[in-house]
Amino acid sequence: MTTSSDSRNVQRVGFLLVRNFALMSYAAATEPLRAANLLAARPLYQVFPLAQGGGTVTSSSGVSIDCADLESDGETCHTLFVCAGGEPADWADTSAAHTALRRLSRLGIRIGGISSGAFVLAAAGLLDNNDFTIHWEHAPALKEAFPHLNPRHARFVLDGAIATCGGGVAPLDMMHAMIAERLGTDFARRVSDWYLHAAVAEPTAPQRGSVAERFGTNHPALLAVLEKMETAIERPLGRTAMARLAGVSPRHLDRLFKEHRGAGFLDTYREIRLRHARRLLQQSPLSIAEIAYATGFSSPAHFSNAFKDLFSETPGSLRRRRRA
């Protein structure tokens, strides 16, 4: 039988589920808490699914979860995570929750974001002057919508009253750290071992495979240029500047791209910028013209033609298809 002392020691962890939330991220965050209760043979955590107004919320995979009302039950939480998926239209539907999230933060409740949940926190004004992260795919849209914010390229970030992670399996790492904060590293290790989570990542571990893995090359000069290409999007650097960065001649840089990538310098750079543009088209409210200039194209027409060449559809048709 649970004593009153036991009850006081139970931390209620709320999860504000946004329509089409990622079920994997939710499970990776909640299952370690269940395992902690099991291994301790007493209740340590209570998982509390929440929704604005209560009711049922359906994940991107079609699994539905019954939720309590954020307004009436959020105050009982020790920590509250916003768990969101990858559709910007779903994030926009959370505007009614922003006031509640700000109120709960003022009450001293730890607020977190999982996957694109950090976008909701940013929209609520809760990430100003805080360190945080977001899923790498949603970082460009967040930075365009909130230019004063700069998410870290990290699996998870615990910054006092704000806790964020990139989603996917990263919540396993974040929950390991949060359980260790409260119950010690030995107990947290037992929880992780329960899930065969032997390689617990550090907070600063990358969310994505390395540039070498993603581009299939280990040549140091080429890697230096590819890394710079992924960051110099709005103002693309020329071949001469990139060659100087890599410590090779422009002609040798061309040979490296042909030999290791099977594509030229300009074609590779254009593809990187266009893939970045496609993420902005899918996730940001920016106009097509604004996205064209934000990805280094001289005009919307130039951007549209290049986009169609790579993806076999225009930016406008992609937008219409996503909205439909």
Side-chain angles (χ1 to χ4, degrees):
M1 181 175 178
T2 302
T3 66
S4 59
S5 176
D6 289 334
S7 298
R8 287 194 299 269
N9 288 328
V10 174
Q11 281 190 2
R12 288 164 64 90
V13 182
F15 290 85
L16 176 60
L17 301 182
V18 177
R19 184 182 61 191
N20 292 322
F21 68 94
L23 189 62
M24 175 181 281
S25 298
Y26 178 65
T30 56
E31 282 296 290
L33 304 180
R34 182 184 69 84
N37 292 341
L38 188 64
L39 292 172
R42 63 186 178 91
L44 297 171
Y45 299 99
Q46 181 182 8
V47 172
F48 217 63
L50 298 163
Q52 180 69 30
T56 299
V57 181
T58 303
S59 73
S60 58
S61 58
V63 175
S64 297
I65 295 180
D66 293 329
C67 299
D69 182 18
L70 173 67
E71 293 287 348
S72 59
D73 294 281
E75 290 185 12
T76 67
C77 295
H78 172 276
T79 302
L80 193 154
F81 289 100
V82 178
C83 189
E87 291 294 335
D90 298 328
W91 310 340
D93 282 351
T94 64
S95 56
H98 295 169
T99 300
L101 290 171
R102 288 191 292 268
R103 177 175 61 84
L104 295 174
S105 178
R106 288 194 297 269
L107 291 175
I109 294 170
R110 195 178 203 179
I111 303 293
I114 294 173
S115 191
S116 60
F119 195 102
V120 178
L121 301 188
L126 294 175
L127 296 183
D128 294 358
N129 304 313
N130 281 106
D131 204 7
F132 71 98
T133 190
I134 190 171
H135 190 287
W136 64 267
E137 188 178 22
H138 310 311
L142 185 142
K143 288 191 283 189
E144 291 292 343
F146 309 102
H148 65 291
L149 298 179
N150 189 28
R152 286 179 53 191
H153 299 291
R155 289 178 74 83
F156 68 94
V157 175
L158 301 181
D159 184 22
I162 298 292
T164 52
C165 76
V169 297
L172 288 172
D173 302 314
M174 180 174 67
M175 288 303 174
H176 177 95
M178 294 180 72
I179 291 170
E181 274 184 349
R182 183 185 180 200
L183 301 163
T185 55
D186 288 344
F187 185 79
R189 179 71 268 170
R190 290 175 60 201
V191 172
S192 293
D193 286 347
W194 186 265
Y195 290 106
L196 313 187
H197 184 207
V200 179
E202 292 296 318
T204 53
Q207 293 185 13
R208 306 172 71 186
S210 68
V211 174
E213 292 170 324
R214 286 186 281 115
F215 288 97
T217 180
N218 288 302
H219 195 286
L222 204 54
L223 290 177
V225 171
L226 290 167
E227 285 186 21
K228 190 64 176 178
M229 284 179 169
E230 290 192 324
T231 58
I233 297 288
E234 186 171 355
R235 295 180 177 84
L237 297 177
R239 181 188 286 101
T240 301
M242 286 291 201
R244 188 182 304 116
L245 172 73
V248 299
S249 70
R251 183 173 297 178
H252 185 51
L253 184 62
D254 284 336
R255 285 197 296 268
L256 288 174
F257 270 93
K258 289 293 185 182
E259 179 182 346
H260 292 270
R261 292 281 303 146
F265 171 89
L266 290 178
D267 289 339
T268 301
Y269 207 170
R270 186 184 299 112
E271 181 177 348
I272 288 172
R273 289 157 49 212
L274 286 169
R275 292 192 182 281
H276 181 86
R278 185 169 63 170
R279 288 194 290 272
L280 291 178
L281 284 165
Q282 293 170 333
Q283 300 173 9
S284 82
L286 296 177
S287 69
I288 291 174
E290 288 171 326
I291 291 172
Y293 296 126
T295 49
F297 288 89
S298 58
S299 70
H302 180 205
F303 167 59
S304 183
N305 290 335
F307 192 92
K308 187 175 181 180
D309 286 343
L310 181 61
F311 299 116
S312 300
E313 66 177 332
T314 65
S317 65
L318 171 63
R319 275 248 162 112
R320 289 189 294 271
R321 181 167 55 82
R322 295 283 292 186
R323 287 169 180 165

